[in-house]
């Protein structure tokens, strides 16, 4: 009887240990995603967004002066500048793990964050194209278009996150890929509206 009790207690302790390991793994995963998005991706996001904000003044002045053709020119110049800076900022993504370790993050979290950041590089380049298009449309008071496209991007993000994380069990990589897709959907949707006739006066092609 005593042997049976010891065996049952051993099994219980084993299951409790497994539950604790799973809980720690989930916490590390959540921490990795959070750190990747707030520290590395968030820093680059803010920098590129700030640079793109200069387009608000230029496009606003051109639209007010009814020099509509200048809006498209300014946007394309902004694309080139931001794309260049996207390339220059790539070391933050490539060396994310060493940077996070240097900042004091635990090794396991830093390594996992580094994986998330590497898979976020496509999203990083979408910033350089998306932000100028948003400013281009905002200066023409087309905020409703941005809102509808953003709603579509949100729905696609929910769908792809569910598919990649829960169905295909891709973990943190699935979460990063889902974000990549949703951000590129935003750019494609807004640029598609612009190029397919939504802004005939301000967009005349490349």
């Amino acid at each position: 009887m005593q042997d049976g009790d010891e065996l049952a207690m051993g099994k219980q302790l084993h299951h409790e240990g497994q539950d604790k390991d799973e809980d720690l793994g989930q916490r590390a995963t959540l921490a990795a995603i959070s750190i990747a998005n707030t520290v590395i991706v968030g820093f680059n996001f803010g920098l590129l967004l700030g640079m793109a904000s200069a387009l608000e003044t230029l496009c606003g002045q051109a639209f007010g002066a009814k020099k509509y053709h200048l809006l498209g020119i300014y946007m394309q110049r902004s694309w080139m500048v931001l794309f260049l800076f996207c390339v220059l900022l790539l070391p933050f993504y490539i060396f994310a793990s060493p940077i996070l370790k240097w900042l004091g993050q635990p090794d396991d979290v830093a390594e996992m964050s580094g994986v998330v950041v590497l898979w976020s590089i496509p999203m990083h380049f979408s910033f350089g194209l998306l932000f100028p298009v948003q400013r281009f449309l905002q200066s023409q008071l087309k905020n409703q278009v941005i809102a509808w496209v953003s709603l579509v991007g949100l729905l696609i993000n929910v769908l792809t996150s569910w598919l990649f994380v829960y169905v295909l069990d891709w973990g943190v990589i699935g979460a990063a890929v889902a974000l990549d897709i949703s951000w590129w959907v935003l750019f494609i949707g807004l640029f598609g509206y612009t190029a397919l006739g939504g802004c005939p006066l301000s967009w005349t092609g490349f």
Side-chain angles (χ1 to χ4, degrees):
M1 184 68 178
Q2 187 175 0
D3 293 339
D5 292 340
E6 291 178 354
L7 182 60
M9 185 176 294
K11 289 182 178 180
Q12 183 179 357
L13 291 173
H14 177 70
H15 288 310
E16 288 179 356
Q18 285 183 327
D19 292 340
K20 287 182 180 179
D21 289 341
E22 289 178 2
D23 184 54
L24 289 173
Q26 291 175 352
R27 290 183 180 181
T29 300
L30 292 174
I33 295 173
S34 176
I35 291 170
N37 284 307
T38 55
V39 178
I40 304 297
V41 178
F43 170 76
N44 292 286
F45 176 95
L47 184 61
L48 294 170
L49 181 62
M51 295 179 65
S53 296
L55 199 60
E56 293 181 18
T57 302
L58 293 173
C59 286
Q61 290 175 344
F63 186 75
K66 298 184 179 180
K67 296 180 179 180
Y68 302 119
H69 68 285
L70 289 178
L71 276 75
I73 295 173
Y74 290 150
M75 180 173 67
Q76 292 178 62
R77 289 177 179 174
S78 182
W79 278 340
M80 290 187 286
V81 173
L82 263 65
F83 181 82
L84 174 62
F85 272 86
C86 283
V87 174
L88 294 176
L89 291 170
L90 274 180
F92 284 99
Y93 287 78
I94 297 171
F95 301 107
S97 291
I99 291 172
L100 292 172
K101 290 177 183 178
W102 179 74
L103 292 174
Q105 295 299 324
D107 289 353
D108 57 339
V109 174
E111 291 293 339
M112 196 176 297
S113 297
V115 173
V116 175
V117 168
L118 285 175
W119 282 91
S120 300
I121 289 177
M123 178 174 62
H124 168 66
F125 278 95
S126 75
F127 296 157
L129 298 174
L130 174 63
F131 295 157
V133 179
Q134 287 178 329
R135 301 300 175 274
F136 170 82
L137 293 172
Q138 284 174 354
S139 67
Q140 300 174 74
L141 307 179
K142 296 184 180 293
N143 296 311
Q144 191 172 6
V145 176
I146 298 174
W148 280 110
V149 173
S150 298
L151 177 61
V152 173
L154 174 62
L155 295 175
I156 289 177
N157 181 250
V158 171
L159 177 62
T160 53
S161 295
W162 170 78
L163 176 62
F164 296 147
V165 177
Y166 293 102
V167 177
L168 299 178
D169 195 24
W170 287 1
V172 293
I173 294 176
V177 172
L179 284 172
D180 292 338
I181 293 173
S182 60
W183 277 95
W184 275 100
V185 165
L186 292 179
F187 167 69
I188 293 170
L190 293 179
F191 180 68
Y193 170 83
T194 299
L196 297 176
C199 303
L201 297 177
S202 54
W203 177 260
T204 57
F206 292 99

